Amino acid sequence: MNRNNKTPLVVAAVLVAAVVIGTIAMRGQRDPARDAALSEAPAANAVAQTAPAPGNRPSRSPARQGASTEAQLIDHVARRAQRRDEQMARTAALKKQSAERFAAEQVDPAWAPQKEAELAGIAGQSGFETAGVRPTSLSMDCKSSMCKIDGQFASNGEAEDWILIYMSSVGSAMPSSVVSRTQNPDGSTRVEIYGRAR
């Protein structure tokens, strides 16, 4: 074998030997923190042995379990109510911002009527009739980039179903929008949608 060919093998062997020796030396060094932890381990084991096994532990009394479950339920309901209130506040802020932007826009007479007809056409699709969700009144109002849809529904359930179908159908015709619902005193629901449609 050529002497030059042996040189890389010798270098590799020396490196491997150095890594092995270094690892052994590092493992052999004493670590005071580790020694302290090891000296405390028997005490921890002794405590663990005196504690009752999981199967032998006395179970919580039914009264304490019931109180704990009730507290968890109350906490869960409170957190859900807080999230709902926060979501309603965010929606109200977005609606206000969108309404102000819509009010400030000028009407583009070439674009607005065509967009209103397109949005009304989506609302007139047969899927709404099949689902049995029709507004008692519905209006489309577009300006230069934004549109407002205002609808009245006999019940909140019909309003929710209509929103679900309409928003999944409108797609790129109005890709960004804010939906709000208001319960009327007579039990009907008003739906307002502000959206960027251009």
Side-chain angles (χ1 to χ4, degrees), residues 1-81:
M1 193 177 214
N2 191 336
R3 187 175 178 183
N4 290 337
N5 289 344
K6 290 182 181 180
T7 303
L9 293 175
V10 171
V11 171
V14 169
L15 284 174
V16 169
V19 169
V20 169
I21 291 169
T23 303
I24 291 170
M26 287 177 68
R27 285 188 181 167
Q29 288 180 347
R30 297 192 61 79
D31 181 1
R34 187 184 65 188
D35 291 345
L38 289 174
S39 67
E40 290 172 8
N45 287 338
V47 171
Q49 288 170 3
T50 58
N56 299 333
R57 286 184 189 154
S59 61
R60 283 195 224 171
S61 68
R64 284 189 66 193
Q65 273 187 322
S68 174
T69 304
E70 185 178 342
Q72 288 177 350
L73 181 61
I74 290 169
D75 183 53
H76 176 71
V77 169
R79 278 187 279 119
R80 284 194 63 178

Side-chain angles (χ1 to χ4, degrees), residues 98 101 111 115 118-119 122 142 144-149 166-179 193-198:
S98 298
R101 187 181 300 149
W111 175 80
K115 181 53 77 171
E118 180 184 2
L119 295 175
I122 294 168
C142 295
S144 57
S145 71
M146 293 190 70
C147 294
K148 176 186 176 186
I149 300 171
Y166 190 81
M167 296 311 292
S168 63
S169 302
V170 75
S172 61
M174 196 166 62
S176 175
S177 57
V178 178
V179 180
I193 303 172
Y194 288 94
R196 297 189 72 81
R198 192 181 199 181

